[in-house]
Amino acid sequence: MITIGKMLRQVLSSLARKPATTRYPFEKAVMPPKFRGRLKFYPEKCIGCKICMRDCPSGAIEIRKVAEKQFESEIRLDRCIYCAQCVDSCPKKALDITPEFELAQLDRKNLVMVTKPDPSAISAKPQATTEKPA
Amino acid sequence: MINSLFSLFVFPGLFFVIFASLAFEYADRKIHARMQNRKGPPWFQPLADMIKLLAKDSLVPEHADRTLFKLMPIVALAAATASIMYIPLWRSSALYAFDGDLIVVFYLLTIPTMSLFLAGWSSTSLYSLIGAVRSLTQLFAYEVPFFIGLLGPCILADTWSLSGVAEYYTKTPAMMLVNVIGFAVSLTALLGKLEKVPFDIPEAETEIVAGPLTEYSGWALALFRLTLDVELFVGASLLAAVFLPFGFGLPAWAAFVVYLIRLLMVVALITLLRTLFARLRLEQMVNFCWKYLAPAALLQLVVNLCVKMFLK
Amino acid sequence: MNRIKIPIGPQHPALKEPENFQLVLEGEKIYEAGMRLGYNHRGMEKACEQRTYLQDIYLLERVCGICSHSHSTCFVQAVEELAGLQVPPRGLYIRTLIGELERIHSHLLWLGVAGHEVGFDTLLMYSWRDREIVMDLLCEISGNRVNYAMNTIGGVRRDLTPAQLENISKSIDALEERTKYYIQVATEEATLIARLSKVGFLSNADALKLGAAGPTGRACGVDRDVRRDDPYAAYADMEFKVVVDNHCDVYGRTLVRLGELMETYSIIRQVLKKIPEGPIAVKAPRKIPAGEVFSRYEAPRGEDVHYVQSNGTEKPERVKVRAPTLANLSSVAKMLEDNYLADAPIVIAAIDPCFSCTDRALAIKDARKGALGVMEWGDLRKYGIEWHRRNGIDFSDLNKRFSKFMERCRI
């Protein structure tokens, strides 16, 4: 049965309902727990096999030796495609993903994340990334 | 002298019309958004849009007729704003009412469509040419039902002046109910004049970019957009004056509030119609207007003539 | 009345991706339609040859945002066939589930886009609001709203928890209610039917001759669906109907896609009921034995075909992707004739175009000689480098960085 204005009832009832808009950035968007956001590197678990470097589709991760059995990682956040293949490939589970996705920076140099194996303080660029508005 | 200058330029003249049009554009967009389950723009959005456009560069295409290109927005805005002088707003007599001002208002409201056509034509861009021709074709479809729909209540009131119509219906409010068909017809034809869905064919964004306004930018585009808003305000005032003429006799501020409510009713109906439908094709629109709208308008005319004869 | 030639694209509000259609108009009627492709060519097939099979999964996923799982699964099926791997049943069921959820996402997106092309913005807003249910669901299961990256060679990467299965079931119920409402709107709203009916007519014979795939063909009565004709993943265990319509116009295509949505809900419910326990992947070798294989998949837009040739190393010899939109584009030229200009956007949108999927090959036209030719890869590369050097751009630095990247992958 062809009518005109079939969506009338739906449209009028929407006037009374709360809009479906998320008021981002005033309302934060919460991502589910296993969301593929920024990577996290655990230097104490890394054995320097470099399988993650071999499997990365975009060459975003680099593992460097700083001392005997101590490795640091440099992850380029602008090259990473957040596929988490390195997380799956790592035999020692030294890489993990976090649900953090607000990674924009004004300067491209700030998108390089270095994680050093110093146990007292991880002097990673993540410190710099907290400068952006929360 | 000062009094007439004030009423021409400030209230209810130019300034009032401009700011009221922006306010009603906000109302239209907000209601449209809420009907689509969205939040909608903040209250200052139309003003911010105008200011942004005025601050931008206005480019004229190479082969375009410069004078015509730049003159058209001004002519359109002037004509649309001038018609407010003859429409009774919240008092039953307009600023400069005279017998026959219905025709003048109607003529003044046709000028923006003509200038849209000339604007598109003088732009010499492919998309504007097609849009200009479409807007003229659409004019042929909705003009006749619009005028006949408006004429019905005037025939019943036995006058050619809009202020006379307002006075007649203030004296006999029951006669308003006779004009229901005419209201529906005029509302639909007004959608065509304002180029809103389902009749926004000249400005079909997904087909011809922006129609006649494709090559416009900067202050010229700002004036054209303002003209479309002023047409909404003036068209809604016209419909409110002819088909919803109540509340004229109240004290000044109460009449103003009732006027705003009447306007809001008409604008809300326009927004509802614009949310519900898809855009029609040009030949479908012309078919619809001549097959259904014009006969309905004639029917209203016949009904009004019969009622008038019955009353005598 | 004289004829004007109007270009739709490459930049146009009607098109979501760059594409050029040259329409010759007489008044409002389209007299002739010509096409130019290639604006989205990114050299993906060549890039696939220089990355390992595992890296290629992620590269091919990004061929298209909406059919990303289709391309990824089609490729992975090809590689598994070459390596002789048997994916465990739970992995196959999860692949099917993600594929069907992607189909829901794609069809709801199409419904909104079709509404927008005919000026029905309300339908756009509502259908895209409901699409958010599917996007959030996929985000919870796979970790991203598009580009799900669920496939790996030998199976899938992530498992589903019982809580997630419950969530899928509830979301499917909500979506089914909404889809029933959209079917009502599509079959009863007068202005929508007026815009969609008798538009973009393609007869059954023409559809078969021009090779129309997917819903475009099924709306013309061509009864072909890879899921039924050549079952892959877990479709052999599923019972579903293939929705075929005889309207042969855009309205028919709308009905086919909405009907397919209802069938998809039924398939997902069967998957949720029948999903077996067990492992989700088998270990895959790095070096794939030599051979060539042809893999087919029913993407939301039609039949997606991947050809993979391997040479015994860990990088493929040749990967060829033929997306369904390429098959449907020749039908568009035929469909546009004898229609009004106002119908051009909806006719183009009715095949659900995805030009990112399509642009894989280029034909070289020499502007001076006007002849069509074919250039070898080596010649094309030399020509490009020379042209840029003449205009002052030197690629040697970029080449050094690229060889460093290649070095790292060979460790």
Side-chain angles (χ1 to χ4, degrees):
Chain A
M1 189 195 62
I2 299 191
T3 55
I4 43 172
K6 170 82 190 142
M7 295 189 78
L8 182 65
R9 192 180 285 174
Q10 177 91 168
V11 150
L12 287 179
S13 71
S14 290
L15 281 174
R17 274 191 284 165
K18 192 163 156 331
T21 321
T22 316
R23 285 157 192 72
Y24 187 84
F26 306 111
E27 264 177 36
K28 278 299 172 192
V30 179
M31 289 295 139
K34 296 223 281 195
F35 181 76
R36 279 181 272 128
R38 193 172 54 151
L39 286 170
K40 197 169 155 70
F41 177 70
Y42 297 101
E44 59 270 14
K45 297 190 197 162
C46 178
I47 55 169
C49 64
K50 299 190 180 172
I51 292 184
C52 56
M53 280 174 69
R54 196 153 58 137
D55 277 344
C56 178
S58 51
I61 186 167
E62 190 179 331
I63 305 286
R64 295 192 283 256
K65 186 167 170 178
V66 290
E68 194 56 42
K69 298 261 182 73
Q70 304 257 37
F71 300 94
E72 71 172 12
S73 79
E74 177 182 304
I75 299 178
R76 312 260 324 233
L77 293 175
D78 50 347
R79 287 219 195 127
C80 179
I81 59 172
Y82 305 99
C83 64
Q85 177 63 45
C86 52
V87 176
D88 286 349
S89 301
C90 178
K92 295 293 169 192
K93 302 276 174 282
L95 281 161
D96 202 2
I97 40 170
T98 61
E100 202 183 313
F101 63 95
E102 287 157 328
L103 302 169
Q105 295 290 323
L106 285 171
D107 191 348
R108 196 162 183 185
K109 293 198 262 307
N110 293 339
L111 284 171
V112 179
M113 195 171 74
V114 179
T115 317
K116 292 191 193 300
D118 196 339
S120 53
I122 296 183
S123 67
K125 281 285 180 173
Q127 241 70 331
T129 60
T130 57
E131 281 164 11
K132 59 188 192 304
Chain B
M1 171 71 179
I2 303 282
N3 219 352
S4 55
L5 273 180
F6 181 79
S7 51
L8 268 182
F9 284 103
V10 182
F11 187 81
L14 192 62
F15 265 23
F16 170 69
V17 168
I18 291 181
F19 283 105
S21 323
L22 293 178
F24 277 100
E25 183 193 342
Y26 161 69
D28 174 48
R29 282 167 76 166
K30 194 76 176 177
I31 300 177
H32 185 62
R34 286 294 159 125
M35 285 198 207
Q36 293 177 339
N37 206 210
R38 293 184 286 133
K39 190 160 176 258
W43 62 269
F44 49 81
Q45 186 70 36
L47 186 61
D49 284 342
M50 290 296 141
I51 296 178
K52 177 205 83 165
L53 278 174
L54 287 170
K56 287 202 186 248
D57 210 3
S58 176
L59 297 169
V60 182
E62 198 179 325
H63 299 291
D65 188 331
R66 293 188 83 89
T67 340
L68 216 55
F69 191 88
K70 290 191 191 171
L71 189 63
M72 281 303 114
I74 307 176
V75 166
L77 185 61
T81 327
S83 42
I84 209 71
M85 293 193 287
Y86 306 108
I87 301 180
L89 301 178
W90 59 87
R91 284 272 163 261
S92 61
S93 76
L95 270 180
Y96 289 100
F98 63 93
D99 208 20
D101 58 22
L102 172 71
I103 315 268
V104 176
V105 166
F106 191 66
Y107 169 70
L108 281 175
L109 280 181
T110 318
I111 292 185
T113 319
M114 295 291 190
S115 25
L116 209 58
F117 164 70
L118 278 176
W121 191 258
S122 67
S123 298
T124 66
S125 144
L126 271 177
Y127 300 119
S128 353
L129 281 175
I130 298 184
V133 168
R134 279 184 180 185
S135 85
L136 215 52
T137 316
Q138 194 167 286
L139 183 76
F140 294 145
Y142 67 73
E143 276 294 89
V144 170
F146 190 48
F147 189 55
I148 300 185
L150 282 177
L151 200 56
C154 300
I155 298 266
L156 193 57
D158 220 359
T159 164
W160 282 95
S161 160
L162 285 170
S163 311
V165 170
E167 271 165 24
Y168 174 82
Y169 284 105
T170 321
K171 285 197 216 97
T172 51
M175 289 297 135
M176 261 197 282
L177 300 168
V178 182
N179 297 324
V180 175
I181 307 176
F183 187 34
V185 166
S186 297
L187 199 62
T188 318
L190 187 64
L191 278 177
K193 179 175 279 299
L194 298 174
E195 287 172 14
K196 294 206 181 284
V197 182
F199 303 131
D200 76 338
I201 300 156
E203 203 199 312
E205 181 208 321
T206 53
E207 298 158 24
I208 43 177
V209 190
L213 299 179
T214 315
E215 302 294 336
Y216 274 84
S217 54
W219 64 265
L221 183 62
L223 288 186
F224 256 126
R225 295 270 294 265
L226 192 57
T227 310
L228 291 173
D229 291 339
V230 168
E231 266 193 302
L232 171 69
F233 175 72
V234 167
S237 296
L238 182 62
L239 250 59
V242 172
F243 293 104
L244 301 171
F246 50 84
F248 286 126
L250 298 170
W253 60 270
F256 187 65
V257 169
V258 172
Y259 165 65
L260 287 180
I261 294 179
R262 282 157 48 212
L263 266 190
L264 208 57
M265 280 165 63
V266 178
V267 170
L269 277 173
I270 293 177
T271 310
L272 181 66
L273 287 178
R274 137 166 128 100
T275 315
L276 279 182
F277 299 121
R279 184 188 309 135
L280 289 178
R281 273 205 302 268
L282 194 56
E283 93 278 3
Q284 286 171 340
M285 185 232 177
V286 173
N287 269 347
F288 171 72
C289 284
W290 283 107
K291 268 197 218 160
Y292 298 103
L293 224 51
L298 286 173
L299 179 68
Q300 172 70 65
L301 206 59
V302 164
V303 163
N304 276 12
L305 284 170
C306 292
V307 170
K308 193 161 140 187
M309 243 187 305
F310 179 72
L311 283 180
K312 277 224 172 48
Chain C
M1 185 147 190
N2 56 346
R3 299 200 183 137
I4 39 177
K5 197 171 193 184
I6 188 169
I8 305 262
Q11 265 96 19
H12 196 270
L15 303 171
K16 302 289 169 271
E17 283 157 341
E19 186 66 27
N20 190 332
F21 293 94
Q22 291 130 357
L23 306 176
V24 176
L25 291 181
E26 212 174 282
E28 284 265 333
K29 271 232 177 233
I30 300 177
Y31 186 70
E32 201 184 303
M35 270 187 299
R36 278 193 66 175
L37 316 175
Y39 293 94
N40 248 350
H41 183 83
R42 289 160 289 169
M44 283 215 160
E45 292 179 350
K46 189 66 195 171
C48 280
E49 292 173 20
Q50 290 160 344
R51 286 163 172 76
T52 65
Y53 287 96
L54 199 57
Q55 292 172 329
D56 280 341
I57 301 176
Y58 300 103
L59 185 60
L60 282 175
E61 222 183 24
R62 280 148 179 81
V63 164
C64 172
I66 312 172
C67 5
S68 67
H69 189 253
S70 318
H71 286 292
S72 149
T73 310
C74 201
F75 178 70
V76 157
Q77 275 172 188
V79 178
E80 283 161 2
E81 175 94 13
L82 281 172
L85 298 170
Q86 282 284 48
V87 180
R90 191 175 171 90
L92 288 175
Y93 269 74
I94 295 181
R95 261 190 208 164
T96 313
L97 180 67
I98 302 288
E100 290 303 312
L101 283 174
E102 182 182 68
R103 197 180 307 272
I104 299 178
H105 162 215
S106 173
H107 284 331
L108 280 176
L109 188 144
W110 179 84
L111 191 64
V113 168
H116 180 63
E117 304 282 3
V118 290
F120 199 5
D121 279 340
T122 314
L123 188 61
L124 168 74
M125 299 294 169
Y126 278 105
S127 60
W128 279 36
R129 182 198 66 183
D130 296 325
R131 193 179 71 118
E132 291 291 314
I133 303 178
V134 159
M135 307 271 269
D136 287 339
L137 192 61
L138 279 164
C139 186
E140 195 189 322
I141 299 175
S142 71
N144 201 353
R145 281 155 61 100
V146 288
N147 295 337
Y148 319 121
M150 283 293 273
N151 282 325
T152 185
I153 304 177
V156 294
R157 287 166 71 196
R158 287 198 186 194
D159 203 351
L160 295 172
T161 65
Q164 281 172 343
L165 291 172
E166 181 64 37
N167 205 2
I168 298 174
S169 182
K170 277 204 284 253
S171 307
I172 296 297
D173 289 336
L175 279 171
E176 199 172 15
E177 280 300 312
R178 298 298 307 167
T179 310
K180 286 202 189 115
Y181 178 69
Y182 293 130
I183 296 181
Q184 272 188 328
V185 169
T187 45
E188 289 176 27
E189 167 67 42
T191 49
L192 195 60
I193 298 176
R195 279 311 294 272
L196 299 180
S197 288
K198 310 271 188 312
V199 164
F201 184 78
L202 186 72
S203 67
N204 192 337
D206 277 333
L208 283 169
K209 188 174 78 171
L210 296 168
T216 314
R218 287 198 279 275
C220 304
V222 175
D223 189 6
R224 296 229 177 102
D225 188 334
V226 184
R227 292 176 291 170
R228 181 200 54 194
D229 300 334
D230 192 3
Y232 53 91
Y235 287 106
D237 300 336
M238 301 291 146
E239 280 190 26
F240 60 97
K241 283 199 310 272
V242 173
V243 181
V244 177
D245 198 69
N246 281 319
H247 278 104
C248 299
D249 57 10
V250 175
Y251 185 59
R253 285 167 207 133
T254 314
L255 291 179
V256 165
R257 286 195 175 93
L258 288 170
E260 275 184 9
L261 273 176
M262 299 303 289
E263 286 301 315
T264 300
Y265 299 135
S266 141
I267 295 177
I268 293 182
R269 291 214 179 86
Q270 290 176 48
V271 166
L272 290 176
K273 214 165 48 169
K274 295 186 195 170
I275 187 165
E277 298 295 328
I280 51 174
V282 294
K283 187 124 176 59
R286 286 215 179 245
K287 290 195 167 55
I288 306 287
E292 56 180 14
V293 71
F294 208 72
S295 165
R296 303 161 75 188
Y297 185 98
E298 182 76 16
R301 285 158 181 71
E303 184 182 334
D304 185 20
V305 165
H306 282 222
Y307 166 78
V308 179
Q309 189 181 41
S310 61
N311 54 11
T313 62
E314 56 179 18
K315 296 187 185 165
E317 173 79 18
R318 173 84 171 102
V319 174
K320 168 100 183 110
V321 174
R322 198 244 36 197
T325 309
L326 188 59
N328 287 331
L329 271 177
S330 10
S331 332
V332 169
K334 185 94 180 71
M335 281 195 266
L336 278 175
E337 285 170 13
D338 247 5
N339 272 308
Y340 292 99
L341 172 66
D343 294 326
I346 185 67
V347 166
I348 298 171
I351 63 164
D352 209 353
C354 181
F355 301 118
S356 304
C357 285
T358 313
D359 290 335
R360 299 272 82 76
L362 283 177
I364 312 237
K365 189 167 184 178
D366 195 330
R368 285 162 289 159
K369 297 190 218 135
L372 234 54
V374 172
M375 251 193 187
E376 281 286 300
W377 156 246
D379 294 333
L380 184 63
R381 191 160 176 268
K382 263 195 259 157
Y383 181 78
I385 294 177
E386 266 313 303
W387 189 91
H388 279 93
R389 190 171 294 141
R390 263 183 280 135
N391 286 302
I393 306 169
D394 197 357
F395 279 125
S396 15
D397 177 51
L398 192 64
N399 282 337
K400 271 199 222 99
R401 271 178 45 194
F402 186 62
S403 27
K404 245 181 48 182
F405 167 63
M406 288 285 99
E407 284 288 312
R408 198 186 289 157
C409 289
R410 263 184 245 127
I411 304 164

